[in-house]
Amino acid sequence: MKILIVNAGSSSLKYQLIDMADESTLAKGLVERIGMGGDGHANMKVDDQVVCDVVEPIPDHVKACHLMLGFLTDPEKGVVKDMKEIGAVGHRVLHGGSKFTESVVIDDTVLDAIAENIPLGPLHNPANLMGIKACQEVMPGTPMVAVFDTAFHQTMPPKAYMYGVPYEYYERLHVRRYGFHGTSHRFVSRHAAEFMGKKPEEVKMITCHLGNGSSLAAVAYGKCVDTSMGITPLEGMIMGTRSGVMDPAVIQYICNNDHISVDEMLNICNKKSGLLGISGLSNDMRDIEKATFVDNNPRARLAWDMLIYEITKYIGSYIAGMNGTDAIVFTGGIGENTNRLREQVIDGLSWMGIAIDHEKNAAMRPGHAEDTDLTAEGSRVKILVIPTNEEIAIARDTLELVTKL
Ligand code: ADP
C-alpha cells in the first residue's frame, strides 16, 4: 500500500508518499505561504531532486492539497497514476491531550476531540485540523489516521506529569505535562531495543531527541515514564529559539519592566531565546559550533556550554528517576550529527561509569548518520545513535490501523 504522510502547519504543509512494500519514499514536498496573501510556493522532490515547482496564490489548505495531489499524479513527473493508488493518509497531530494514548482512525468524534484540545495546542491543532479536513475534501473515501505527538508520553505516572500548582487547575483546565516528539521517542526507543538485541520491555533507556526543538524521554521497559517538554514544547533544555525551563517569575519581571504582555513574552521565549537569544548569532547548531570552536565567540561558547550542561543534567535526573539506565540514545539533527556534543555530554557522566568510544564517535560523518553503537569498552551504559524517522513511524501506524478496517 502507498501511504501519504501529511504534516500541516498554519501556513505550510509538508508531505511524503511512502511505498509500504519496502518503506521507500516515492516523493516528498512542501507547500508554503498558505493563506498569507501574495504568492505561495509548492514543490515536490523525487530522489531529492525538485521535479515540480509552482509559485502562485495558495489561499487555503484545500488549494494546497490540490497542488500536492496534482504533483503526485502528474502524468510526466508524478509517482502514481491515480489518486486511488494512495491507500491511506497519516496525519501528524500535535496535541492529543489526555484522550489519545495511541494513533486512531479519523472520524467525526476524533475531529471533535482534536478541536477540544485547541486550547492546549492553540498554534498547531487548528492547522492540523485544516490539513485533515482539506485532505478529506480532495480525497473523499480515503481512510485517514491521526498520529499524535503527545500519545507515547501518556504512560507517564502522575508524579512525573503533575505540576505543583493547586490540583483544581489539573481538574478544571487539564494543566499537566504532556510531552512532545512522542512519535520520534517511540520509534527510536523501539529501534534501539531491537538494535541491542532486546525487546522494548526488557530495557531502560533515555532517548535524546535533539534538533531545532529538543526533548528527552525516560523510557522504562517500553513505556515513557518522564519527558522534558511540558504542557507546551517550551519546557526542557534550551533549544534553537526556545528558552527551556526557567523560574516563571522571569516572565512577570520582564513583562512588568518592559510593559509587554504575557503573550509577547511567551513569543520571545519561543522564538527569540535559546541558542539564538544567548549567542545573538543563530539558532543553528552548526553555526554555534563553528562560532565557539573556530571563531572563539564568547556568547556562542556560553550557548554551547548551557546546552551541554542542561542535557547532561536531564540525563542525570532521568538515571536517578529510573534508578539506572541500559542505554542513552541520541537522535534528531543535532543528536545524529554533532559529534562533539555527544562526546561532551557523555564525558560529563564519567563518574557513573558511562563512556563513549571517542574514536568511533569522531569518525561519524555528519549528514550520514545510521544506527551506530558508540559504547566504549567497559561502559556501564550503551551509547547509541539511532536516526529518527517520524514519517515511517506515522506510516506504520497508519498501515496497521487501516488494514484492520
Ligand atoms: P527540527 O527540530 O526542525 O526537525 P532537526 O532535527 O532537523 O530540527 O535539527 C536541526 C539541527 O540539527 C540544527 O541545529 C542543525 O544545526 C543541526 N545539525 C547539525 N549537523 C547537521 C547536519 N549535518 N544536517 C542537518 N542538521 C544538522
Side-chain angles (χ1 to χ4, degrees):
M1 185 188 291
K2 292 176 182 116
I3 293 183
L4 180 63
I5 306 305
V6 171
N7 184 357
S10 55
S11 65
S12 70
L13 186 148
K14 286 189 209 138
Y15 65 94
Q16 186 163 331
L17 186 66
I18 297 176
D19 186 347
M20 295 311 284
D22 57 359
E23 295 191 339
S24 61
T25 298
L26 298 172
K28 61 174 147 182
L30 174 68
V31 188
E32 296 172 286
R33 296 190 53 81
I34 303 170
M36 290 181 74
D39 279 339
H41 171 230
N43 72 16
M44 181 172 83
K45 289 183 186 169
V46 175
D47 292 331
D48 278 332
Q49 303 290 320
V50 177
V51 294
C52 300
D53 200 63
V54 160
V55 175
E56 64 177 54
I58 308 173
D60 54 31
H61 285 72
V62 174
K63 172 73 183 176
C65 285
H66 275 301
L67 283 169
M68 166 182 77
L69 285 175
F71 292 161
L72 290 168
T73 57
D74 185 274
E76 276 173 35
K77 295 170 179 156
V79 288
V80 287
K81 286 204 186 69
D82 193 282
M83 201 174 76
K84 293 198 177 67
E85 277 184 51
I86 301 171
V89 184
H91 291 271
R92 182 175 181 180
V93 181
L94 182 86
H95 220 306
S98 307
K99 252 198 183 118
F100 296 106
T101 55
E102 52 191 19
S103 305
V104 285
V105 174
I106 298 173
D107 58 18
D108 286 348
T109 333
V110 171
L111 288 178
D112 289 347
I114 297 173
E116 269 168 40
N117 283 319
I118 287 177
L120 295 170
L123 297 178
H124 293 84
N125 274 31
N128 299 151
L129 269 179
M130 278 193 283
I132 295 171
K133 286 182 178 164
C135 283
Q136 287 178 327
E137 193 173 323
V138 298
M139 304 173 77
T142 307
M144 312 232 170
V145 166
V147 179
F148 300 92
D149 258 31
T150 47
F152 180 61
H153 302 303
Q154 288 307 303
T155 47
M156 280 186 289
K159 67 179 176 187
Y161 71 65
M162 287 300 287
Y163 291 126
V165 289
Y167 195 77
E168 62 136 340
Y169 293 111
Y170 170 64
E171 293 179 306
R172 191 160 55 83
L173 299 175
H174 317 291
V175 171
R176 52 160 285 185
R177 174 187 313 287
Y178 290 95
F180 299 88
H181 292 142
T183 311
S184 175
H185 288 294
R186 179 171 53 124
F187 177 86
V188 166
S189 58
R190 302 225 165 129
H191 212 96
E194 201 179 300
F195 189 64
M196 291 161 75
K198 306 261 186 195
K199 293 195 182 108
E201 306 80 57
E202 291 170 342
V203 278
K204 293 193 271 197
M205 67 178 81
I206 296 161
T207 46
C208 311
H209 177 109
L210 308 170
N212 204 20
S214 297
S215 68
L216 263 60
V219 185
Y221 311 119
K223 291 195 167 134
C224 175
V225 291
D226 205 348
T227 191
S228 58
M229 282 180 167
I231 190 168
T232 78
L234 188 52
E235 196 179 337
M237 64 229 67
I238 63 165
M239 308 180 205
T241 61
R242 293 191 189 114
S243 61
V245 70
M246 58 186 180
D247 184 339
V250 168
I251 302 203
Q252 179 203 35
Y253 180 61
I254 296 178
C255 285
N256 287 349
N257 246 281
D258 288 3
H259 307 293
I260 58 174
S261 66
V262 170
D263 283 4
E264 283 170 298
M265 189 58 215
L266 279 186
N267 195 42
I268 292 171
C269 292
N270 270 304
K271 303 211 170 123
K272 297 184 179 165
S273 302
L275 297 178
L276 173 67
I278 295 293
S279 71
L281 282 177
S282 170
N283 63 308
D284 192 295
M285 198 56 180
R286 284 165 287 199
D287 299 335
I288 300 295
E289 189 176 16
K290 177 180 169 291
T292 305
F293 296 98
V294 180
D295 308 334
N296 278 316
N297 179 307
R299 282 196 16 215
R301 154 75 66 182
L302 174 61
W304 172 276
D305 286 346
M306 285 172 73
L307 179 60
I308 301 285
Y309 184 58
E310 290 179 12
I311 297 169
T312 313
K313 279 204 301 187
Y314 263 106
I315 293 177
S317 71
Y318 288 164
I319 291 177
M322 291 194 289
N323 195 8
T325 190
D326 299 301
I328 297 169
V329 187
F330 289 95
T331 197
I334 296 175
E336 292 165 27
N337 297 304
T338 312
N339 304 9
R340 201 190 313 243
L341 173 137
R342 288 193 301 265
E343 177 180 270
Q344 293 193 2
V345 166
I346 300 302
D347 283 353
L349 300 164
S350 60
W351 184 80
M352 291 189 245
I354 304 177
I356 190 165
D357 184 322
H358 287 102
E359 265 176 44
K360 224 170 160 187
N361 182 53
M364 277 192 77
R365 273 197 309 142
H368 296 87
E370 47 189 47
D371 297 351
T372 310
D373 185 345
L374 295 176
T375 318
E377 233 181 274
S379 172
R380 290 180 71 181
V381 170
K382 284 228 173 288
I383 312 299
L384 305 177
V385 175
I386 305 283
T388 192
N389 194 332
E390 285 162 284
E391 287 76 19
I392 291 288
I394 294 173
R396 286 181 188 166
D397 278 13
T398 305
L399 180 67
E400 193 186 322
L401 285 168
V402 300
T403 24
K404 284 187 202 147
L405 286 177

